[in-house]
Amino acid sequence: MKKVPMFNPIVEMDGDEMTRVLWKMIKDELILPFVDLKTEYYDLGLPNRDATNDQVTVDAANAIKVHHVGVKCSTITANLQRMQEYSLKKMWRSPNATIRAALDGTVFRTPILLSKIKPVVGCWERPVTIARHAYGDVYKAVEYRVPGAGKAELVFTDENGNETYRRTVAEFDGPGVLQAMHNRNDSIESFARACFEYALDRKEDLWFSTKDTISKEYDQTFKLIFQRIYDEEYRDRFEKANIKYFYTLIDDAAAKVIRSKGGMIWACKNYDGDVMSDLVAAAAGSLPMMSSVLVSPDGNFEYEAAHGTITDHYYRYLKGEAVSSNPLAIIFSWSGALRKRGELDNNSALMAFADALEDAGIQTMEEGILSQDLAILCDPADVVEVPDNAGLLKAIRSRLEANLAAQVELLSA
Ligand code: NAP
Ligand code: MG
């Protein structure tokens, strides 16, 4: 069979531990035999980040701005224990944080659904995607414990040193707690544009929710910025694409999403998105089944699995034990990146390959050939086999070959 051609490269970012092992196995078994793969390769594994003083992460982020599509393997975020384990020069910043900041991106998380894994929420037919604003609010708040009676005030001094606002927050009779948080219009605007772009990309409705009835300045600002950008830049394109932008209060949105069929993108402020993405993951199935894409407002896309490097599986693998990890989110990161590359390059063969690859992964699991984490979530009667990683990828490959052969037949018919 002729390999699928690629016209432009994608930025490939390798990672750590079990996901690094799976990365190579997936490429060897499911991509390289079928695609004339063009990538610009960056090794974001912790040893190389340390050796390059983390320059490799910055270079990779810049490369995504050039090529517009990236695919990233999970990476270790350094902490004290990892510093010792890898004898690091420094506690390097999380690569995801570096890339997110460089691309000014918003993270969208979508669960991969299988009919064998019944969502806890029975009416969900299609995935619910959570878009989380990744800047500010309580994550950049200033806070402290108030020791005793006194007055707390919120003061703003402009750049010329003039005090423009002074508001009493609370008059304390005794000890308490105090917090001040902020956000920036430019960050909210980027968040809004990334959400509108992604909704158009997925052809799904965009929901946005805050608590603007209570937070009449703070949350109201989010609501107004979204509405202005929608009216000025996206209304026409949404109407043409036959999708909707819908604003509602966060509590109303929560109630409506639970009773919906799914299939929408739900944009959330930072804290809401933190909570809702884990809630949706648990409600839809399991964390290893979460796919993730970082979208920048100017149209760069970085695909990855939402899970980490599966450290415990890696240490069992190093001991020579047979390990069964779930490869679907990594496979979907590759299919997502290849499909996007195909779209940008008008390469329909590459888009068709991405579909065939995703279908092969889903089919294998639907036929009861499962990774361990899914086997325990299914009805035991549905489990046919729980192979090790190499075995599972071989099973997926045989279905991929059949799907590709069927595509060729369809084309020549
Ligand atoms: P994790 O790697 O996601 O693993 C947590 C647990 O979830 C695993 O022990 C495993 O459970 C299960 N799991 C996750 N992915 C799985 C898969 N594909 N197949 C089967 N089971 C899976 O999270 P972590 O242990 O908290 O973090 C490990 C490292 O990953 C850390 O160094 C962290 O910094 C990094 N991390 C990176 C990213 C990223 O790059 N995007 C994200 C999160 C964490 P069982 O043990 O029960 O099988
Ligand atoms: Mg969370």
Side-chain angles (χ1 to χ4, degrees), residues 14 16 24 29 46-47 51 64 67 95 99 129 181 217 232 253 262 283 348 384 406:
D14 211 339
D16 289 299
K24 179 164 183 341
E29 199 72 62
L46 190 50
I64 299 173
H67 299 297
I99 296 167
T129 298
M181 60 188 197
E217 302 297 338
E232 288 176 3
S348 55
V384 175

Side-chain angles (χ1 to χ4, degrees), residues 318-391:
L318 288 181
K319 278 195 232 149
E321 284 176 36
V323 183
S324 168
S325 321
N326 187 330
L328 275 190
I330 305 174
I331 290 174
F332 272 61
S333 68
W334 275 98
S335 58
L338 293 174
R339 182 182 295 110
K340 178 52 72 179
R341 182 77 278 164
E343 264 173 50
L344 296 179
D345 295 350
N346 257 322
N347 184 347
S348 55
L350 193 58
M351 291 162 72
F353 173 79
D355 292 344
L357 176 59
E358 280 178 11
D359 290 348
I362 298 281
Q363 280 162 10
T364 308
M365 307 277 180
E366 293 288 6
E367 287 171 33
I369 305 173
L370 295 159
S371 53
Q372 184 63 41
D373 61 305
L374 294 178
I376 56 179
L377 290 175
C378 283
D379 180 343
D382 284 342
V383 181
V384 175
E385 197 191 338
V386 183
D388 66 2
N389 285 334

Side-chain angles (χ1 to χ4, degrees), residues 173-221:
D173 296 331
V177 284
L178 188 64
Q179 180 185 68
M181 60 188 197
H182 81 283
N183 222 299
R184 300 198 328 241
N185 284 12
D186 60 349
S187 174
I188 302 168
E189 286 162 7
S190 290
F191 173 48
R193 289 197 179 94
C195 291
F196 290 125
E197 288 292 333
Y198 193 63
L200 284 166
D201 190 57
R202 297 265 305 196
K203 297 177 188 61
E204 288 179 346
D205 291 348
L206 176 69
W207 294 26
F208 180 47
S209 57
T210 71
K211 193 73 182 175
D212 66 291
T213 46
I214 299 299
S215 173
K216 289 185 166 50
E217 302 297 338
Y218 199 104
D219 280 16
Q220 177 87 292
T221 298

Side-chain angles (χ1 to χ4, degrees), residues 17 19 22 72-79 82 96 109 287-288 304-313 316 324-330 371 373:
E17 299 192 315
T19 42
L22 288 166
K72 180 179 168 290
C73 180
S74 304
T75 45
I76 292 169
T77 301
N79 57 16
R82 298 297 198 165
N96 289 41
R109 284 183 162 200
L287 178 67
E304 67 172 327
H307 61 72
T309 58
I310 348 176
T311 311
D312 50 335
H313 289 209
R316 279 164 38 214
S324 168
S325 321
N326 187 330
L328 275 190
I330 305 174
S371 53
D373 61 305

Side-chain angles (χ1 to χ4, degrees), residues 154-311:
L154 198 58
V155 180
F156 179 78
T157 312
D158 74 15
E159 53 192 346
N160 302 318
N162 304 316
E163 186 184 302
T164 21
Y165 290 102
R166 179 177 288 269
R167 297 258 197 294
T168 301
V169 177
E171 307 262 8
F172 286 93
D173 296 331
V177 284
L178 188 64
Q179 180 185 68
M181 60 188 197
H182 81 283
N183 222 299
R184 300 198 328 241
N185 284 12
D186 60 349
S187 174
I188 302 168
E189 286 162 7
S190 290
F191 173 48
R193 289 197 179 94
C195 291
F196 290 125
E197 288 292 333
Y198 193 63
L200 284 166
D201 190 57
R202 297 265 305 196
K203 297 177 188 61
E204 288 179 346
D205 291 348
L206 176 69
W207 294 26
F208 180 47
S209 57
T210 71
K211 193 73 182 175
D212 66 291
T213 46
I214 299 299
S215 173
K216 289 185 166 50
E217 302 297 338
Y218 199 104
D219 280 16
Q220 177 87 292
T221 298
F222 279 78
K223 176 183 173 179
L224 293 176
I225 286 176
F226 264 72
Q227 192 62 49
R228 172 173 56 76
I229 289 181
Y230 177 67
D231 291 337
E232 288 176 3
E233 300 172 30
Y234 290 98
R235 182 181 286 279
D236 290 349
R237 289 168 70 192
F238 266 54
E239 282 169 3
K240 275 201 194 86
N242 204 18
I243 55 173
K244 288 194 180 62
Y245 169 60
F246 171 60
Y247 176 86
T248 187
L249 287 171
I250 177 80
D251 35 355
D252 182 49
K256 283 201 167 77
V257 166
I258 288 291
R259 289 166 169 278
S260 76
K261 293 184 172 162
M264 77 286 283
I265 296 157
W266 182 8
C268 293
K269 286 176 60 200
N270 210 345
Y271 177 82
D272 300 336
D274 188 350
V275 178
M276 292 310 168
S277 57
D278 285 356
L279 188 102
V280 166
S286 71
L287 178 67
M289 294 286 274
M290 253 309 176
S291 66
S292 173
V293 55
L294 177 77
V295 180
S296 77
D298 48 350
N300 301 307
F301 295 80
E302 184 224 24
Y303 295 83
E304 67 172 327
H307 61 72
T309 58
I310 348 176
T311 311

